[in-house]
Amino acid sequence: MKLSNPNGTIKEDDIQKFESINGFALPKAYRLFLLENNGGETEPSTFFISENEGISVLNSFFGLGDIYENLQDFIEIYDERLPDGFIPIGNDPAGNVICVSINESSSDNIYFWDHEQEIENPNEMSNVFFLANDIEAFINNFYEG
């Protein structure tokens, strides 16, 4: 798997500032991913969602800093649309979102949020599908489509 890093590097101070602004701590594996990669694009980028949902392709992972696909911007875009305790960390070309859980019971778990099935009460989670235990496991499941 190849991960491109067009967003440049960040430091622990950048993450701490982000956490302070948002009022939550990032999960351990996702925090490490940001420090090592700060988002980016993968090759390969196809991943399996579920038997019913099929497959999708990662467009990119969001990063921190003065960049086009800024994590903070996407948190604001999806505020009140995603279930409580989920933050958007990437997307696919169709506008669906890859999320990481910041909930204590499922911290670091990665999910797919299907915007075509968006519901009025996002906490019902009928349009959310578990993908992996953490970002590394998610990336390791990518394959050529």
Side-chain angles (χ1 to χ4, degrees):
M1 194 276 309
K2 179 181 168 187
L3 182 67
S4 67
N5 181 358
N7 301 329
T9 59
I10 59 169
K11 296 183 167 79
E12 180 64 30
D13 291 349
D14 299 313
I15 289 180
Q16 289 175 0
K17 181 179 177 185
F18 171 83
E19 291 174 327
S20 177
I21 289 168
N22 288 284
F24 59 76
L26 292 173
K28 184 178 178 180
Y30 181 62
R31 173 191 215 96
L32 183 59
F33 171 80
L34 282 176
L35 285 169
E36 291 177 355
N37 303 291
N38 194 26
E41 299 170 358
T42 64
E43 194 178 307
S45 59
T46 302
F47 61 94
F48 179 76
I49 303 166
S50 71
E51 289 296 329
N52 289 335
E53 295 298 306
I55 63 171
S56 187
V57 176
L58 178 75
N59 188 40
S60 66
F61 286 114
F62 310 139
L64 298 178
D66 188 19
I67 57 175
Y68 178 70
E69 293 195 319
N70 184 290
L71 178 59
Q72 185 65 52
D73 293 342
F74 284 94
I75 286 176
E76 292 168 13
I77 289 168
Y78 289 98
D79 184 39
E80 297 185 23
R81 293 179 66 191
L82 298 177
D84 293 340
F86 284 62
I87 60 170
I89 62 168
N91 60 11
D92 73 3
N96 301 302
V97 180
I98 310 306
C99 302
V100 66
S101 172
I102 59 172
N103 291 312
E104 190 174 326
S105 63
S106 59
S107 183
D108 256 329
N109 288 355
I110 305 296
Y111 295 85
F112 181 83
W113 179 81
D114 187 335
H115 81 90
E116 283 97 8
Q117 298 179 38
E118 189 170 358
I119 52 178
E120 193 169 316
N121 179 359
N123 291 315
E124 289 178 17
M125 291 184 53
S126 62
N127 66 329
V128 178
F129 304 90
F130 176 82
L131 296 174
N133 289 326
D134 60 35
I135 188 127
E136 184 176 342
F138 175 55
I139 292 171
N140 286 337
N141 288 328
F142 286 180
Y143 63 93
E144 291 291 335

